Amino acid sequence: MGHPFPIREIARQAGLSEATVDRVLNGRGGVRESTAREVRRAIADLHRQRTQVRLVGRTFMVDIVMQAPERFTTAIRAALEAELPSLHPAVLRSRFHFRETGPVGELVRTLDRIARRGSQGVILKAPDVPEVTAAVGRLEAAGIPVVTLVTDLPASARLAYVGIDDRAAGATAAYLMGQWLGDRPGNILTSLSSGFFRNEEEREMGFRGGMRARHPERTLVEIAEGQGLDATQYDLVRAALERDPDIRAVYSIGGGNIATLRAFEDLGRECAVFIAHDLDHDNTRLLREHRLSAVLHHDLRQDVREACHTVMRAHDALPPAGPTLPSAIQVVTPYNMPPQATAV
Protein backbone atom coordinates (compact mmCIF):
# COMPACT_ATOMS: atom_id res chain seq x y z
CA MET A 1 0.00 0.00 0.00
CA GLY A 2 2.16 2.85 -1.28
CA HIS A 3 1.92 6.19 0.51
CA PRO A 4 4.19 9.09 1.50
CA PHE A 5 2.99 9.41 5.12
CA PRO A 6 4.66 8.33 8.39
CA ILE A 7 2.96 5.50 10.24
CA ARG A 8 2.46 7.78 13.22
CA GLU A 9 0.51 10.26 11.06
CA ILE A 10 -1.68 7.51 9.57
CA ALA A 11 -2.36 6.07 13.01
CA ARG A 12 -3.39 9.48 14.33
CA GLN A 13 -5.69 10.03 11.34
CA ALA A 14 -7.28 6.57 11.67
CA GLY A 15 -7.49 6.56 15.48
CA LEU A 16 -5.57 3.25 15.63
CA SER A 17 -2.31 2.13 17.19
CA GLU A 18 0.89 2.39 15.21
CA ALA A 19 1.34 -1.38 15.55
CA THR A 20 -2.04 -2.03 13.94
CA VAL A 21 -1.31 0.35 11.09
CA ASP A 22 2.09 -1.31 10.58
CA ARG A 23 0.46 -4.76 10.33
CA VAL A 24 -2.03 -3.49 7.72
CA LEU A 25 0.58 -1.71 5.65
CA ASN A 26 2.91 -4.69 5.60
CA GLY A 27 0.18 -7.30 5.12
CA ARG A 28 1.09 -9.24 8.27
CA GLY A 29 -2.49 -10.27 8.98
CA GLY A 30 -4.16 -10.47 12.35
CA VAL A 31 -6.46 -7.49 11.66
CA ARG A 32 -10.08 -7.34 10.59
CA GLU A 33 -10.99 -6.16 7.09
CA SER A 34 -12.92 -3.23 8.61
CA THR A 35 -9.70 -2.10 10.32
CA ALA A 36 -7.80 -2.35 7.03
CA ARG A 37 -10.50 -0.20 5.41
CA GLU A 38 -10.03 2.41 8.15
CA VAL A 39 -6.32 2.55 7.39
CA ARG A 40 -6.97 2.90 3.66
CA ARG A 41 -9.54 5.61 4.35
CA ALA A 42 -7.08 7.47 6.57
CA ILE A 43 -4.45 7.43 3.80
CA ALA A 44 -7.01 8.73 1.30
CA ASP A 45 -7.98 11.50 3.72
CA LEU A 46 -4.34 12.47 4.16
CA HIS A 47 -3.89 12.62 0.39
CA ARG A 48 -6.84 15.03 0.13
CA GLN A 49 -5.51 17.14 2.96
CA ARG A 50 -1.96 17.12 1.72
CA THR A 51 -2.37 20.50 0.06
CA GLN A 52 -3.46 22.00 3.37
CA VAL A 53 -0.51 20.39 5.12
CA ARG A 54 1.84 22.02 2.60
CA LEU A 55 0.17 25.39 3.22
CA VAL A 56 0.33 25.41 7.02
CA GLY A 57 2.58 28.23 8.09
CA ARG A 58 3.25 29.40 4.51
CA THR A 59 3.24 33.13 3.89
CA PHE A 60 3.11 34.45 0.34
CA MET A 61 4.12 38.05 -0.33
CA VAL A 62 2.45 39.19 -3.55
CA ASP A 63 2.77 42.57 -5.28
CA ILE A 64 -0.36 43.97 -6.97
CA VAL A 65 0.71 46.40 -9.71
CA MET A 66 -2.03 48.22 -11.62
CA GLN A 67 -2.58 51.20 -13.85
CA ALA A 68 -6.31 51.89 -13.61
CA PRO A 69 -8.79 54.47 -12.31
CA GLU A 70 -9.19 54.60 -8.53
CA ARG A 71 -12.71 53.17 -8.70
CA PHE A 72 -11.33 49.97 -10.28
CA THR A 73 -8.31 49.55 -8.00
CA THR A 74 -10.62 50.05 -5.02
CA ALA A 75 -12.77 47.19 -6.32
CA ILE A 76 -9.67 44.99 -6.76
CA ARG A 77 -8.47 45.72 -3.22
CA ALA A 78 -11.91 44.89 -1.81
CA ALA A 79 -12.07 41.65 -3.84
CA LEU A 80 -8.66 40.53 -2.59
CA GLU A 81 -9.43 41.32 1.04
CA ALA A 82 -12.72 39.41 0.77
CA GLU A 83 -10.89 36.36 -0.62
CA LEU A 84 -8.05 36.22 1.93
CA PRO A 85 -9.95 33.93 4.35
CA SER A 86 -10.45 31.36 1.57
CA LEU A 87 -6.67 31.04 1.19
CA HIS A 88 -6.18 29.76 4.75
CA PRO A 89 -4.19 28.07 6.22
CA ALA A 90 -1.76 29.92 3.98
CA VAL A 91 -1.30 33.62 4.70
CA LEU A 92 -1.16 36.02 1.76
CA ARG A 93 0.31 39.45 2.31
CA SER A 94 0.05 42.04 -0.42
CA ARG A 95 1.83 45.21 -1.41
CA PHE A 96 -0.23 47.54 -3.59
CA HIS A 97 1.29 49.68 -6.34
CA PHE A 98 -1.63 51.58 -7.87
CA ARG A 99 -1.61 54.54 -10.24
CA GLU A 100 -4.28 56.06 -12.44
CA THR A 101 -1.97 57.20 -15.21
CA GLY A 102 1.62 58.26 -15.83
CA PRO A 103 4.69 57.55 -17.93
CA VAL A 104 5.44 53.93 -18.76
CA GLY A 105 8.93 54.43 -17.34
CA GLU A 106 7.55 54.87 -13.83
CA LEU A 107 5.63 51.62 -14.10
CA VAL A 108 8.73 49.81 -15.38
CA ARG A 109 10.78 51.18 -12.48
CA THR A 110 8.19 49.80 -10.05
CA LEU A 111 8.46 46.35 -11.64
CA ASP A 112 12.26 46.49 -11.61
CA ARG A 113 12.29 47.46 -7.90
CA ILE A 114 10.16 44.41 -7.17
CA ALA A 115 12.58 42.23 -9.16
CA ARG A 116 15.53 43.53 -7.11
CA ARG A 117 13.78 43.39 -3.74
CA GLY A 118 12.10 40.06 -4.29
CA SER A 119 8.51 38.84 -4.21
CA GLN A 120 6.67 35.55 -4.48
CA GLY A 121 4.46 36.83 -7.26
CA VAL A 122 3.19 39.85 -9.17
CA ILE A 123 -0.43 40.36 -10.22
CA LEU A 124 -0.28 42.91 -13.02
CA LYS A 125 -2.62 45.18 -14.98
CA ALA A 126 -0.52 47.25 -17.36
CA PRO A 127 -0.36 48.57 -20.92
CA ASP A 128 0.80 46.12 -23.58
CA VAL A 129 3.97 47.93 -24.62
CA PRO A 130 7.50 46.58 -25.22
CA GLU A 131 8.97 48.23 -22.11
CA VAL A 132 6.49 46.45 -19.81
CA THR A 133 6.96 43.16 -21.66
CA ALA A 134 10.71 43.42 -21.08
CA ALA A 135 10.21 44.20 -17.38
CA VAL A 136 8.02 41.09 -17.01
CA GLY A 137 10.88 39.10 -18.55
CA ARG A 138 13.24 40.44 -15.88
CA LEU A 139 10.81 39.43 -13.16
CA GLU A 140 10.57 35.93 -14.59
CA ALA A 141 14.38 35.72 -14.78
CA ALA A 142 14.48 36.66 -11.08
CA GLY A 143 12.18 33.71 -10.31
CA ILE A 144 9.08 35.86 -9.68
CA PRO A 145 5.92 34.55 -11.41
CA VAL A 146 3.70 37.18 -13.05
CA VAL A 147 -0.04 36.78 -13.55
CA THR A 148 -1.78 39.34 -15.76
CA LEU A 149 -5.24 40.31 -14.51
CA VAL A 150 -8.09 41.75 -16.63
CA THR A 151 -5.77 42.72 -19.49
CA ASP A 152 -3.09 40.48 -20.96
CA LEU A 153 0.50 40.79 -22.14
CA PRO A 154 0.53 37.78 -24.49
CA ALA A 155 4.05 38.35 -25.83
CA SER A 156 5.55 38.49 -22.34
CA ALA A 157 6.91 35.79 -20.04
CA ARG A 158 3.85 36.02 -17.78
CA LEU A 159 2.76 32.74 -16.22
CA ALA A 160 -0.97 33.08 -16.93
CA TYR A 161 -3.75 35.51 -17.80
CA VAL A 162 -6.88 35.70 -15.63
CA GLY A 163 -9.95 37.49 -16.99
CA ILE A 164 -12.71 37.33 -19.57
CA ASP A 165 -12.53 36.64 -23.29
CA ASP A 166 -12.60 40.31 -24.25
CA ARG A 167 -13.34 39.77 -27.92
CA ALA A 168 -16.41 37.73 -26.94
CA ALA A 169 -17.41 40.53 -24.56
CA GLY A 170 -17.23 43.07 -27.38
CA ALA A 171 -19.30 40.83 -29.64
CA THR A 172 -21.87 40.47 -26.83
CA ALA A 173 -22.07 44.25 -26.55
CA ALA A 174 -22.64 44.49 -30.32
CA TYR A 175 -25.45 41.93 -30.12
CA LEU A 176 -27.18 43.80 -27.29
CA MET A 177 -26.67 47.18 -28.95
CA GLY A 178 -28.24 45.97 -32.20
CA GLN A 179 -31.22 44.45 -30.38
CA TRP A 180 -31.92 47.50 -28.26
CA LEU A 181 -31.41 50.17 -30.91
CA GLY A 182 -33.59 48.25 -33.33
CA ASP A 183 -34.64 50.33 -36.31
CA ARG A 184 -33.95 53.67 -34.66
CA PRO A 185 -31.34 55.71 -36.53
CA GLY A 186 -28.16 56.87 -34.90
CA ASN A 187 -24.42 56.45 -34.62
CA ILE A 188 -22.59 54.72 -31.76
CA LEU A 189 -19.79 56.21 -29.67
CA THR A 190 -17.11 53.72 -28.62
CA SER A 191 -14.89 54.92 -25.80
CA LEU A 192 -11.49 53.46 -24.83
CA SER A 193 -9.38 54.62 -21.90
CA SER A 194 -6.22 53.88 -23.91
CA GLY A 195 -5.22 52.14 -27.10
CA PHE A 196 -2.38 50.38 -25.27
CA PHE A 197 -4.47 48.04 -23.08
CA ARG A 198 -4.90 44.68 -24.76
CA ASN A 199 -8.32 44.02 -23.20
CA GLU A 200 -9.79 47.24 -24.57
CA GLU A 201 -8.35 46.62 -28.02
CA GLU A 202 -9.89 43.12 -28.04
CA ARG A 203 -13.28 44.43 -26.89
CA GLU A 204 -13.25 47.08 -29.59
CA MET A 205 -12.40 44.51 -32.28
CA GLY A 206 -15.16 42.17 -31.07
CA PHE A 207 -17.68 45.01 -31.05
CA ARG A 208 -16.66 46.36 -34.43
CA GLY A 209 -16.76 42.89 -35.99
CA GLY A 210 -20.19 42.17 -34.52
CA MET A 211 -21.64 45.47 -35.70
CA ARG A 212 -20.13 45.08 -39.17
CA ALA A 213 -21.66 41.62 -39.52
CA ARG A 214 -25.13 42.45 -38.20
CA HIS A 215 -25.58 46.19 -38.63
CA PRO A 216 -23.20 47.48 -41.30
CA GLU A 217 -25.30 50.63 -41.70
CA ARG A 218 -24.30 51.91 -38.25
CA THR A 219 -21.41 54.38 -37.98
CA LEU A 220 -19.02 53.89 -35.08
CA VAL A 221 -17.33 56.97 -33.67
CA GLU A 222 -14.25 56.17 -31.58
CA ILE A 223 -12.62 58.24 -28.85
CA ALA A 224 -9.59 57.15 -26.81
CA GLU A 225 -6.94 58.18 -24.30
CA GLY A 226 -9.35 59.52 -21.68
CA GLN A 227 -7.66 57.09 -19.23
CA GLY A 228 -11.12 56.38 -17.78
CA LEU A 229 -10.85 59.63 -15.78
CA ASP A 230 -13.87 61.91 -15.60
CA ALA A 231 -12.07 65.19 -16.34
CA THR A 232 -10.47 64.07 -19.60
CA GLN A 233 -13.40 61.85 -20.58
CA TYR A 234 -15.89 64.70 -20.43
CA ASP A 235 -13.92 66.84 -22.87
CA LEU A 236 -13.47 63.97 -25.34
CA VAL A 237 -17.15 62.98 -25.29
CA ARG A 238 -18.42 66.53 -25.55
CA ALA A 239 -16.16 67.24 -28.53
CA ALA A 240 -17.36 64.05 -30.26
CA LEU A 241 -21.03 64.95 -29.67
CA GLU A 242 -20.52 68.44 -31.03
CA ARG A 243 -18.87 67.05 -34.16
CA ASP A 244 -21.51 64.38 -34.75
CA PRO A 245 -25.16 65.23 -34.04
CA ASP A 246 -26.23 61.65 -34.89
CA ILE A 247 -24.56 59.89 -31.93
CA ARG A 248 -27.30 58.36 -29.79
CA ALA A 249 -25.70 55.31 -28.14
CA VAL A 250 -22.48 54.45 -26.26
CA TYR A 251 -20.34 51.37 -25.82
CA SER A 252 -18.01 52.33 -22.99
CA ILE A 253 -14.97 50.07 -23.10
CA GLY A 254 -12.73 52.03 -20.75
CA GLY A 255 -14.95 53.76 -18.19
CA GLY A 256 -15.50 57.39 -17.21
CA ASN A 257 -19.24 56.88 -17.57
CA ILE A 258 -20.43 59.61 -15.20
CA ALA A 259 -18.56 62.15 -17.31
CA THR A 260 -19.91 60.64 -20.54
CA LEU A 261 -23.49 60.97 -19.37
CA ARG A 262 -22.88 64.51 -18.13
CA ALA A 263 -21.65 65.50 -21.59
CA PHE A 264 -24.87 64.16 -23.14
CA GLU A 265 -26.97 66.01 -20.55
CA ASP A 266 -25.11 69.31 -20.88
CA LEU A 267 -25.74 69.30 -24.64
CA GLY A 268 -29.37 68.26 -24.22
CA ARG A 269 -28.74 64.99 -26.08
CA GLU A 270 -30.41 61.63 -25.47
CA CYS A 271 -28.35 58.46 -24.98
CA ALA A 272 -30.77 55.72 -26.05
CA VAL A 273 -28.50 52.73 -25.24
CA PHE A 274 -25.46 52.72 -22.95
CA ILE A 275 -23.46 49.52 -22.42
CA ALA A 276 -20.51 49.54 -20.00
CA HIS A 277 -18.08 47.19 -18.27
CA ASP A 278 -17.58 46.23 -14.59
CA LEU A 279 -19.78 46.73 -11.55
CA ASP A 280 -17.58 49.26 -9.83
CA HIS A 281 -19.09 51.81 -7.46
CA ASP A 282 -19.93 54.32 -10.21
CA ASN A 283 -21.53 51.82 -12.58
CA THR A 284 -23.51 50.20 -9.78
CA ARG A 285 -25.11 53.54 -8.96
CA LEU A 286 -25.72 54.43 -12.61
CA LEU A 287 -27.30 51.03 -13.26
CA ARG A 288 -29.53 51.34 -10.23
CA GLU A 289 -30.65 54.75 -11.50
CA HIS A 290 -31.42 53.21 -14.94
CA ARG A 291 -28.87 55.49 -16.60
CA LEU A 292 -27.00 52.48 -18.01
CA SER A 293 -28.73 49.86 -20.16
CA ALA A 294 -26.42 47.00 -19.11
CA VAL A 295 -23.03 46.27 -17.60
CA LEU A 296 -20.86 43.41 -18.83
CA HIS A 297 -19.46 42.10 -15.59
CA HIS A 298 -17.19 39.34 -14.34
CA ASP A 299 -16.63 38.16 -10.78
CA LEU A 300 -13.55 40.02 -9.58
CA ARG A 301 -13.36 37.91 -6.42
CA GLN A 302 -13.16 34.75 -8.50
CA ASP A 303 -10.52 36.32 -10.73
CA VAL A 304 -8.40 37.49 -7.79
CA ARG A 305 -8.71 34.07 -6.15
CA GLU A 306 -7.56 32.33 -9.33
CA ALA A 307 -4.64 34.75 -9.70
CA CYS A 308 -3.52 34.02 -6.12
CA HIS A 309 -3.89 30.27 -6.64
CA THR A 310 -1.78 30.51 -9.79
CA VAL A 311 1.02 32.20 -7.84
CA MET A 312 0.77 29.53 -5.13
CA ARG A 313 0.93 26.74 -7.72
CA ALA A 314 4.11 28.28 -9.07
CA HIS A 315 5.63 27.60 -5.64
CA ASP A 316 4.28 24.00 -5.55
CA ALA A 317 1.93 24.92 -2.70
CA LEU A 318 -1.13 23.72 -4.62
CA PRO A 319 -1.54 20.78 -6.99
CA PRO A 320 -1.09 21.48 -10.71
CA ALA A 321 -4.18 22.52 -12.63
CA GLY A 322 -5.16 22.74 -16.27
CA PRO A 323 -5.06 25.93 -18.36
CA THR A 324 -6.86 28.92 -16.86
CA LEU A 325 -10.25 29.28 -18.55
CA PRO A 326 -11.80 32.69 -19.33
CA SER A 327 -14.05 34.12 -16.65
CA ALA A 328 -17.78 34.03 -17.27
CA ILE A 329 -19.29 37.18 -18.80
CA GLN A 330 -22.41 38.31 -16.96
CA VAL A 331 -24.92 40.68 -18.58
CA VAL A 332 -26.21 42.74 -15.66
CA THR A 333 -29.25 45.02 -16.00
CA PRO A 334 -31.05 47.08 -13.34
CA TYR A 335 -33.26 44.03 -12.75
CA ASN A 336 -30.69 41.30 -12.06
CA MET A 337 -27.98 43.06 -10.09
CA PRO A 338 -25.98 40.75 -7.79
CA PRO A 339 -26.84 41.10 -4.07
CA GLN A 340 -23.43 42.58 -3.25
CA ALA A 341 -24.00 45.29 -5.87
CA THR A 342 -27.47 46.25 -4.62
CA ALA A 343 -25.97 46.70 -1.15
CA VAL A 344 -23.47 49.31 -2.34
Side-chain angles (χ1 to χ4, degrees):
M1 190 183 297
H3 63 86
F5 308 106
I7 288 177
R8 179 177 300 177
E9 191 173 354
I10 299 170
R12 185 166 56 243
Q13 180 74 25
L16 300 170
S17 70
E18 292 181 33
T20 298
V21 171
D22 182 71
R23 284 198 299 273
V24 172
L25 294 178
N26 292 287
R28 294 198 179 97
V31 293
R32 293 189 295 272
E33 176 56 30
S34 60
T35 302
R37 282 199 300 271
E38 290 178 18
V39 171
R40 290 193 291 269
R41 187 180 304 117
I43 292 173
D45 290 342
L46 288 172
H47 273 294
R48 284 194 298 272
Q49 297 168 19
R50 194 176 185 188
T51 292
Q52 299 300 308
V53 171
R54 289 205 301 268
L55 289 174
V56 170
R58 293 288 298 271
T59 298
F60 297 87
M61 178 61 75
V62 176
D63 289 271
I64 319 296
V65 183
M66 294 200 164
Q67 179 174 313
E70 184 272 338
R71 62 182 175 272
F72 184 78
T73 55
T74 296
I76 288 291
R77 187 191 292 265
L80 177 61
E81 291 173 350
E83 283 301 310
L84 290 179
S86 73
L87 302 176
H88 288 169
V91 175
L92 188 140
R93 296 176 57 197
S94 53
R95 293 181 291 228
F96 295 98
H97 313 268
F98 292 159
R99 64 185 214 150
E100 291 196 309
T101 186
V104 169
E106 291 181 6
L107 180 60
V108 169
R109 283 191 286 275
T110 297
L111 296 174
D112 284 341
R113 280 197 300 272
I114 294 169
R116 291 192 300 271
R117 182 184 58 203
S119 175
Q120 288 181 289
V122 171
I123 297 174
L124 178 64
K125 179 185 183 294
D128 184 10
V129 295
E131 298 92 331
V132 174
T133 295
V136 170
R138 292 190 289 274
L139 285 164
E140 190 276 337
I144 300 172
V146 177
V147 178
T148 52
L149 182 68
V150 178
T151 186
D152 198 11
L153 302 170
S156 74
R158 56 94 170 123
L159 180 62
Y161 161 67
V162 176
I164 61 173
D165 179 335
D166 286 292
R167 196 168 296 216
T172 300
Y175 175 79
L176 295 173
M177 184 69 73
Q179 293 291 309
W180 289 338
L181 273 180
D183 295 330
R184 290 177 290 179
N187 299 336
I188 301 167
L189 183 71
T190 63
S191 169
L192 293 81
S193 73
S194 171
F196 294 104
F197 284 103
R198 171 71 60 157
N199 66 327
E200 296 190 18
E201 181 184 65
E202 293 282 338
R203 291 172 186 177
E204 193 276 337
M205 288 190 290
F207 184 77
R208 189 173 294 276
M211 294 302 298
R212 187 182 301 116
R214 291 174 170 269
H215 307 283
E217 74 284 359
R218 298 280 184 193
T219 298
L220 306 185
V221 180
E222 181 180 314
I223 59 172
E225 304 309 320
Q227 305 302 322
L229 305 178
D230 286 342
T232 49
Q233 182 72 6
Y234 177 85
D235 292 338
L236 289 169
V237 175
R238 181 167 182 138
L241 293 176
E242 289 173 342
R243 288 192 304 269
D244 189 336
D246 295 324
I247 294 174
R248 62 178 295 129
V250 173
Y251 175 38
S252 175
I253 297 171
N257 300 323
I258 289 177
T260 297
L261 286 166
R262 182 158 53 87
F264 271 86
E265 291 162 359
D266 287 352
L267 292 175
R269 299 273 289 275
E270 176 198 15
C271 183
V273 181
F274 197 132
I275 299 173
H277 279 270
D278 301 321
L279 276 180
D280 57 33
H281 185 274
D282 286 355
N283 286 346
T284 296
R285 179 166 65 83
L286 293 173
L287 197 60
R288 188 187 301 121
E289 294 171 353
H290 291 243
R291 299 173 71 193
L292 299 181
S293 307
V295 170
L296 301 182
H297 177 62
H298 52 110
D299 188 339
L300 281 181
R301 285 185 56 172
Q302 177 181 321
D303 287 352
V304 167
R305 181 170 64 248
E306 179 59 30
C308 292
H309 283 173
T310 301
V311 169
M312 294 161 75
R313 288 188 195 104
H315 295 281
D316 296 322
L318 290 176
T324 302
L325 299 177
S327 306
I329 302 169
Q330 305 170 29
V331 178
V332 183
T333 72
Y335 303 101
N336 70 331
M337 295 174 67
Q340 64 270 25
T342 57
V344 173

